[in-house]
Amino acid sequence: MARVSKRALFDASIAVLGSAGIGITLLALNDSHNVTNLAAVVAGLTLVTVAALSVVRRRPSYSGPADRVTLLRAVLAGGCATIVVLSLWGDVPTRSWWLVLLAAPAVLLDAVDGAVARRTGTASTAGARLDMETDAILLLVLSIPVALTVGWWALLIGLMRYLYVAASWFRPVLRGDLEFSQFRRVVAATQGVVLVVILVPLTPVALAVPVAAASLLLLAASFGRDVVALERSARALSS
């Protein structure tokens, strides 16, 4: 058990150190030198530290192969957050190849951690939660520069899950378990891909606008279907 706990601490520490390394590297590539640099690094480091702490605080403490993939995704998401903060202050372009370079593997690896967990027999509720939270924060981070490109409404792509969670505070039925849905799975998987494509500097804004709008509509439809399903289930149980 002590060995497993040490492995979790090691994996979490490597993730934090990796995030710091990416942040320092990005600043070295940035010509500006001001307080924004510190804020940018802190933003990315905070994101990764939260993910790392979620692994260390597990009881019993453990870290499996899939968790390491998810932590890598969190490190890449942290690098994206650093670039986004720099772009908000005008130190780097809103859409840059550096952002795409970090965002693309972070999105693509979303299909890897779950497969690794199933193949190694290490799937767990805690691992699934870490994966889901990493997905959510990555979408939120990427939706910021997309919103600056196509319009503020695109930020709803990244905020949708958090708005759903907020709604569940007032409507507890929304916290219920949902049946598997291939539509939900496909829609969720495409969101990150769409955001990355829009963030490619060569993508025309005229094309990015309708693509982002279609992605948001699909996401809203997916959440809407889940809300209807949970409400119907609650009514069936109460009748």
Side-chain angles (χ1 to χ4, degrees), residues 159-181:
L159 288 175
M160 191 70 73
R161 181 180 178 274
Y162 297 102
L163 293 174
Y164 182 87
V165 171
S168 71
W169 295 343
F170 302 96
R171 185 62 175 167
V173 69
L174 297 181
R175 303 173 196 169
D177 294 328
L178 288 162
E179 295 181 358
F180 173 80
S181 169

Side-chain angles (χ1 to χ4, degrees), residues 1-218:
M1 182 63 69
R3 183 177 180 180
V4 174
S5 180
K6 288 182 179 178
R7 179 69 205 211
L9 181 60
F10 176 79
D11 290 342
S13 300
I14 289 298
V16 173
L17 290 175
S19 176
I22 287 181
I24 293 173
T25 301
L26 290 173
L27 292 187
L29 297 170
N30 180 29
D31 293 333
S32 64
H33 300 283
N34 50 48
V35 70
T36 310
N37 291 349
L38 178 61
V41 172
V42 169
L45 196 57
T46 299
L47 187 158
V48 178
T49 300
V50 171
L53 286 176
S54 72
V55 172
V56 175
R57 289 177 176 176
R58 292 173 179 173
R59 292 297 178 267
S61 179
Y62 71 92
S63 174
D67 295 313
R68 290 166 207 138
V69 176
T70 308
L71 284 174
L72 172 58
R73 293 181 61 229
V75 171
L76 294 171
C80 292
T82 296
I83 295 176
V84 170
V85 171
L86 290 173
S87 69
L88 289 175
W89 287 89
D91 292 335
V92 298
T94 300
R95 298 192 295 171
S96 67
W97 288 111
W98 283 112
L99 181 55
V100 173
L101 182 64
L102 293 175
V107 169
L108 294 177
L109 283 173
D110 184 29
V112 175
D113 45 12
V116 170
R118 290 187 294 272
R119 178 166 295 184
T120 59
T122 56
S124 67
T125 302
R129 185 181 303 113
L130 177 62
D131 180 32
M132 181 176 62
E133 295 301 336
T134 302
D135 291 343
I137 193 62
L138 177 61
L139 287 182
L140 179 58
V141 168
L142 297 182
S143 68
I144 295 173
V146 168
L148 293 174
T149 302
V150 305
W152 65 268
W153 49 268
L155 191 60
L156 291 173
I157 295 176
L159 288 175
M160 191 70 73
R161 181 180 178 274
Y162 297 102
L163 293 174
Y164 182 87
V165 171
S168 71
W169 295 343
F170 302 96
R171 185 62 175 167
V173 69
L174 297 181
R175 303 173 196 169
D177 294 328
L178 288 162
E179 295 181 358
F180 173 80
S181 169
Q182 186 64 28
F183 177 75
R184 183 195 311 120
R185 183 177 182 180
V186 171
V187 170
T190 58
Q191 298 302 310
V193 175
V194 167
L195 293 179
V196 171
V197 170
I198 292 174
L199 290 173
V200 172
L202 297 179
T203 301
V205 176
L207 175 62
V209 172
V211 169
S215 183
L216 176 58
L217 288 175
L218 282 174

